[in-house]
Amino acid sequence: MSRGNLFLTSSLWLIIAFLVIYPLSILVLESFKIAGSTGWGIHNFLEFFQDTYYLKTFGNTLVLSSLVLLATTLFGIPLSYILARYRQRGKTFFTALILLPIVLPAYAGVFAFVIFLGKFGTLNLLLMDAGLIQKPINWIYGLHGLVFIQSLHLLPFIVLSLSAGFTTIDPSFEEAAEVEGASGFRRFITVTLPLCTPTYLAGAVIVFLWPFTDWLTPLILGQIDFLPSVAYINIAYHFTDMHRKYMGIVAVVISSLVCIMLFLLARWWVERKKYTGLSKGTTSEGRVIEPGATIKFLSYLYMLFLAALVLLIPIVLGLAAFSRRWVFEPFPTYWTLDNFRVILMETPLLLQNSFVFSGLALIFGIAFGLPAAYLIVRTRIRGKDALDFVITLMLAFPGMAVGVSYLLAFWKGIPLATHWIIMPLALFARRLPYFLRMAHSSYLQLDISLEEASEVSGAGKFRTFLNISLPLLIKGVLVGVVMFFIMAFQEISTAIFLYRGGWETLPIGIFLNWHRGMEFGIAAAMAFLMIVITFILLLIIARIGGGILKAAWGPGVR
């Protein structure tokens, strides 16, 4: 065990202890405080599970999570198979397009679908104008609307995970099944899909946990009887009612505990079985199928259908962004650039803050993530697996938990929350797993013998890293950089609890314009600008990412 590795491990653990373990511990301790007294106890938790309303919100959230997982699975399996197996033109474009919802704020999609599918939205107005319906149809408001919007937002997680599984399956397994007479659908159900269990669970856990973290989508659709929405309302709007504040914190802690337990359960389930075999292996591209004309046509039709749903978001927001008003008419009739003028001329601080805070968080992420990935993959030092586990566990924590914990931990004793630096620090802690997974996957694909040869030739570890490792890792690092920046750029669940006047970011600006009842065109212009920036970055990911992006969402290799 070298002193350098020991010092590096200790430094990384100190950062994690200060920015992750400490604030989350304060959040848990705060949940045991009893309102109106100086006492501590489990009274708040007992009241939560004895109150029929809180139990109802908990049950509603479980039902929503199950329905969203079911929907994303049913739609994600054929899509991921098409993208992973079929040789078709335009796959890069379709991949980038279908991945778009994953890196956009979920509420941007809500706004677009409210305009298009709302009571007097575009679709209903067109149907009534054509005389096909007499009264508006409720397309969006209710549980079915929540399932639709959250499923579309989370579909990329299932697609990425299953695509990784389909790509890495050894073709000999499927060929053996075909020799035995199992072909087509039977082979897919009995051989292909079971072998994708680890990678599927990697995405399925994130999908199932999302409704326990998303407080804004239900609020926009007028559905507040869900655990994260109730938690947000209790904390944000009842700061003078200490009892409701503590019950809100309890709701956040319970949401976090549910997320952690399900995350650990999925990890245990994957590790209890072996999904590998002794065989010749596969290529980086996996098994490629040349589909027949009918299958190719149906595949394009299916991809176009899902792409059309995704494209509705930028199209509708784009129309709203360039319009002055859009009320009770299928399409806007008055066009203007004033919305963008307001953003670029009158409120440029929103855009500036988004880039500055996300950029600083990215710098922190690279400085932490590359050494952490090196320790996890290349060394046997004690504590590396625990470090990997704690960082990865941040994927399961709701953004609200991070935001509230930072507010509680860094307000008085350590007053970081009174300074703007708290924003990039919170974004760094919240989105660190995204960069680490990419860097970790890249290290796994780098042959260690190349680094050993450099060190044998007399180059030190740092020089080897700069001259050998980094140039070979650059592809995965760039994917991680772009992915981290995108996720930090669109973060609101954490930032909404920490921002002060002058610290607003673009996502917060969108939320505030909607929340204050101001003209929707400005909020739409902000969302459209985010979509343009994000889609350009996504094209870069799809172009340079290759198998790294898929491998990063697999179950991991040890």
Side-chain angles (χ1 to χ4, degrees):
M1 182 185 299
S2 69
R3 290 184 179 180
N5 288 344
L6 183 62
F7 174 76
L8 187 59
T9 304
S10 302
S11 301
L12 296 180
W13 266 114
L14 284 174
I15 295 172
I16 288 297
F18 182 65
L19 293 178
V20 176
I21 298 175
Y22 167 66
L24 292 176
S25 300
I26 295 296
L27 175 69
V28 174
L29 290 174
E30 194 76 10
S31 67
F32 288 100
K33 286 187 178 180
I34 300 175
S37 70
T38 57
W40 300 67
I42 61 172
H43 174 77
N44 295 332
F45 289 89
L46 292 176
E47 183 177 343
F48 180 92
F49 287 106
Q50 292 171 355
D51 191 307
T52 56
Y53 177 70
Y54 286 117
L55 287 178
K56 174 186 174 183
T57 62
F58 185 78
N60 289 346
T61 311
L62 279 176
V63 171
L64 178 61
S65 293
S66 302
L67 292 175
V68 170
L69 179 58
L70 178 63
T72 53
T73 300
L74 291 177
F75 284 93
I77 288 176
L79 179 61
S80 55
Y81 191 84
I82 291 169
L83 293 176
R85 290 292 177 85
Y86 292 168
R87 192 186 301 278
Q88 293 177 308
R89 292 185 177 181
K91 281 174 60 172
T92 299
F93 174 77
F94 278 113
T95 301
L97 187 60
I98 291 167
L99 290 181
L100 184 60
I102 199 178
V103 290
L104 288 179
Y107 55 85
V110 182
F111 289 145
F113 285 115
V114 165
I115 293 176
F116 190 79
L117 299 175
K119 186 175 181 181
F120 289 98
T122 299
L123 183 58
N124 274 328
L125 290 175
L126 288 174
L127 292 176
M128 286 190 290
D129 289 345
L132 298 176
I133 60 174
Q134 299 299 320
K135 295 181 179 180
I137 298 174
N138 180 15
W139 300 104
I140 200 78
Y141 295 103
L143 181 61
H144 62 289
L146 271 175
V147 172
F148 166 68
I149 290 175
Q150 292 192 346
S151 298
L152 187 64
H153 178 67
L154 296 168
L155 182 63
F157 284 108
I158 296 294
V159 173
L160 280 174
S161 301
L162 282 175
S163 294
F166 291 142
T167 301
T168 55
I169 290 176
D170 193 313
S172 63
F173 289 118
E174 296 175 317
E175 292 167 359
E178 291 170 357
V179 169
E180 294 295 324
S183 59
F185 185 73
R186 184 182 175 190
R187 183 205 67 221
F188 179 79
I189 293 296
T190 59
V191 178
T192 307
L193 206 53
L195 289 172
C196 291
T197 299
T199 54
Y200 168 73
L201 285 178
V205 169
I206 296 176
V207 171
F208 190 85
L209 298 182
W210 176 259
F212 281 91
T213 69
D214 183 14
W215 52 272
L216 186 51
T217 303
L219 286 183
I220 295 174
L221 296 179
Q223 307 290 312
I224 63 172
D225 294 337
F226 294 91
L227 199 57
S229 301
V230 169
Y232 173 77
I233 291 173
N234 281 0
I235 295 173
Y237 294 102
H238 296 281
F239 48 85
T240 58
D241 185 340
M242 297 304 294
H243 176 261
R244 292 196 65 171
K245 171 193 169 185
Y246 286 127
M247 291 306 293
I249 293 175
V250 167
V252 172
V253 171
I254 289 175
S255 293
S256 302
L257 290 175
V258 169
C259 293
I260 292 171
M261 287 189 294
L262 289 173
F263 183 85
L264 295 177
L265 179 63
R267 182 170 178 147
W268 169 80
W269 180 265
V270 170
E271 293 178 350
R272 67 188 286 266
K273 295 183 179 181
K274 289 186 178 295
Y275 297 86
T276 56
L278 298 175
S279 57
K280 62 185 179 182
T282 182
T283 63
S284 60
E285 191 179 13
R287 187 182 188 186
V288 177
I289 299 173
E290 290 286 353
T294 302
I295 297 297
K296 180 176 288 189
F297 172 76
L298 293 176
S299 300
Y300 273 119
L301 200 62
Y302 186 70
M303 288 193 295
L304 285 172
F305 167 71
L306 293 177
L309 291 178
V310 174
L311 278 174
L312 273 177
I313 298 174
I315 289 174
V316 171
L317 290 176
L319 291 174
F322 289 98
S323 65
R324 185 63 179 176
R325 56 181 177 270
W326 189 356
V327 182
F328 297 112
E329 53 186 1
F331 302 101
T333 55
Y334 183 82
W335 306 97
T336 182
L337 293 174
D338 285 348
N339 297 324
F340 290 96
R341 183 186 60 81
V342 170
I343 297 173
L344 299 176
M345 302 298 294
E346 297 182 16
T347 57
L349 197 60
L350 300 179
L351 198 58
Q352 177 183 317
N353 286 342
S354 293
F355 278 102
V356 170
F357 295 160
S358 301
L360 282 175
L362 175 60
I363 293 173
F364 298 153
I366 295 172
F368 184 99
L370 282 177
Y374 166 77
L375 288 175
I376 293 168
V377 178
R378 289 290 189 258
T379 71
R380 297 182 180 179
I381 195 166
R382 287 183 180 180
K384 71 175 183 102
D385 290 333
L387 182 69
D388 182 29
F389 174 75
V390 171
I391 297 172
T392 305
L393 199 62
M394 288 299 291
L395 284 171
F397 271 100
M400 190 187 307
V402 178
V404 174
S405 66
Y406 268 52
L407 191 62
L408 294 172
F410 298 122
W411 185 257
K412 290 184 179 179
I414 308 175
L416 282 176
T418 61
H419 302 281
W420 64 268
I421 194 65
I422 195 66
M423 297 289 282
L425 287 176
L427 293 178
F428 157 72
R430 173 83 170 109
R431 298 307 187 184
L432 177 60
Y434 289 89
F435 180 82
L436 181 64
R437 292 300 294 266
M438 304 299 173
H440 178 272
S441 177
S442 300
Y443 259 114
L444 289 175
Q445 296 179 15
L446 175 62
D447 192 339
I448 192 173
S449 63
L450 299 174
E451 297 170 318
E452 292 172 344
S454 174
E455 293 177 15
V456 168
S457 299
K461 289 186 177 296
F462 185 70
R463 186 179 175 186
T464 296
F465 172 78
L466 289 180
N467 295 336
I468 304 296
S469 304
L470 188 58
L472 296 174
L473 292 171
I474 195 68
K475 183 178 179 180
V477 169
L478 284 176
V479 174
V481 164
V482 176
M483 194 69 182
F484 183 102
F485 184 84
I486 289 174
M487 300 307 292
F489 195 78
Q490 60 93 43
E491 175 63 32
I492 186 173
S493 293
T494 297
I496 197 70
F497 291 95
L498 299 174
Y499 86 94
R500 303 175 70 180
W503 301 355
E504 296 90 345
T505 59
L506 209 54
I508 293 175
I510 297 170
F511 170 73
L512 292 179
N513 274 280
W514 165 77
H515 190 60
R516 294 168 181 169
M518 299 174 69
E519 291 187 25
F520 180 72
I522 297 176
M526 293 178 179
F528 184 74
L529 194 59
M530 286 189 65
I531 288 174
V532 172
I533 295 171
T534 301
F535 189 67
I536 293 172
L537 295 174
L538 267 181
L539 285 175
I540 296 173
I541 285 182
R543 186 65 179 175
I544 68 175
I548 293 172
L549 190 59
K550 295 178 183 177
W553 291 108
V557 180
R558 292 286 184 272

